[in-house]
Amino acid sequence: MPNAPTSRSSRRSLAKVPAAGRESTATRSPRVARRKLETRLRLLDAAFALAAEKGIDSVTITEITNAADVGSGSFYNHFDSKEGIFAALVEWLFEEFATTLDRLATGLSDPAEAIAVSVRHTLLRAYQEPVWGQLLIREGLSTRVLSRGLGQRLMRDAKRGVSERRFMVADELMCVFSVIGTVVAAIAAELHLSGSSKRAVRARKALRSRHEKFAESTAAIVLQAFGLKRTEAERIAHRPLPAPPQAASVSSDTAA
């Protein structure tokens, strides 16, 4: 593991080395590539764990490198700033979740049910993993989310529903923005209520049914935004929820 650069400017220079140049060395040596990947994963794991413990805004680069047991120079080999590592973490987590949603929706012929399933699983995951939910609140309408993974998947399903005349909307893009805003607001409300309730802390499992009902209600509201009538939207939103596939960890090889 390289030693930390002796100055801020040298760290910045290290961070700006072209990715292709770094990868060419890694390609020539599988061991170097493996060690670089392991370092990157340790940094991502540490950033996520610290965010879960004290909140994203309170985490520092020094804390991340200490928790990952790597030098600050190694940090700048992979990320140019604190914002950079959290952007990478957000990108991977939401890409991974979009893939999970695709697997869940496999076999669902009704685009309305596919969207309802996605909305419900999104809210339940945010409740079960508050840091993940906070990241989605923070990034929900960012370019990273809208142009990849979750945003593109929602747009794809919206277009499918419109093309099949299942959805009746005047503007697909504005409808998608509205839906994302509804889901993010619902997550914010759930996390606020859960975080401020001592009862929720003492009896988290017992309250799961309430969160499931809230997720169903949110899914029904989303389907109404796509033009479904209330009774049909509620019926679809209350259908049995497919079991999620086993979630990948941040330490999965796909995090690279």
Side-chain angles (χ1 to χ4, degrees):
M1 184 180 302
N3 293 326
T6 56
S7 71
R8 182 180 181 85
S9 61
S10 60
R11 292 199 303 269
R12 291 299 180 187
S13 297
L14 181 61
K16 293 178 181 178
V17 173
R22 296 198 302 267
E23 289 302 321
S24 63
T25 302
T27 301
R28 290 196 300 268
S29 172
R31 184 171 70 173
V32 170
R34 184 174 64 253
R35 291 174 67 180
K36 286 173 68 69
L37 174 59
E38 290 171 351
T39 298
R40 178 183 175 86
L41 295 175
R42 286 207 306 272
L43 288 164
L44 288 168
D45 277 331
F48 188 79
L50 286 165
E53 177 185 345
K54 57 190 300 184
I56 297 170
D57 293 335
S58 299
V59 178
T60 66
I61 290 176
T62 299
E63 289 173 324
I64 294 172
T65 55
N66 286 343
D69 192 25
V70 304
S72 59
S74 294
F75 177 94
Y76 287 105
N77 271 329
H78 296 275
F79 310 104
D80 61 2
S81 63
K82 171 184 161 180
E83 290 72 22
I85 189 171
F86 279 110
L89 186 62
V90 164
E91 182 174 337
W92 182 79
L93 286 173
F94 293 156
E95 288 286 344
E96 170 264 334
F97 188 61
T99 300
T100 297
L101 292 179
D102 274 337
R103 292 200 297 268
L104 283 166
T106 298
L108 296 178
S109 59
D110 183 0
E113 184 173 5
I115 284 182
V117 165
S118 297
V119 170
R120 291 164 67 189
H121 268 291
T122 299
L123 264 72
L124 289 174
R125 178 163 179 176
Y127 168 66
Q128 293 160 1
E129 301 180 39
V131 172
W132 187 91
Q134 290 164 7
L135 286 170
L136 185 54
I137 291 171
R138 179 171 173 166
E139 299 287 337
L141 290 173
S142 72
T143 302
R144 284 190 293 270
V145 172
L146 292 174
S147 62
R148 298 183 179 128
L150 290 176
Q152 285 299 296
R153 185 188 184 284
L154 179 58
M155 180 61 74
R156 180 200 67 196
D157 290 347
K159 288 180 178 294
R160 175 190 164 201
V162 170
S163 68
E164 294 179 7
R165 299 185 181 278
R166 189 70 171 100
F167 301 152
M168 301 296 293
V169 298
D171 186 312
E172 293 172 8
L173 183 60
M174 291 307 298
C175 187
V176 166
F177 286 160
S178 176
V179 166
I180 293 174
T182 298
V183 172
V184 168
I187 290 172
E190 279 292 86
L191 293 183
H192 173 72
L193 291 174
S194 298
S196 62
S197 171
K198 292 183 180 180
R199 183 185 172 201
V201 174
R202 292 195 303 266
R204 198 173 185 84
K205 290 183 179 179
L207 289 177
R208 179 174 174 79
S209 62
R210 181 178 73 78
H211 293 282
E212 290 173 342
K213 291 177 180 177
F214 185 78
E216 291 169 358
S217 298
T218 303
I221 291 171
V222 165
L223 292 181
Q224 290 175 71
F226 280 112
L228 275 68
K229 293 185 178 180
R230 177 181 175 182
T231 53
E232 183 182 16
E234 291 177 345
R235 175 174 56 80
I236 293 172
H238 283 77
R239 287 176 182 170
L241 193 62
Q246 185 173 1
S249 70
V250 175
S251 296
S252 165
D253 286 349
T254 57

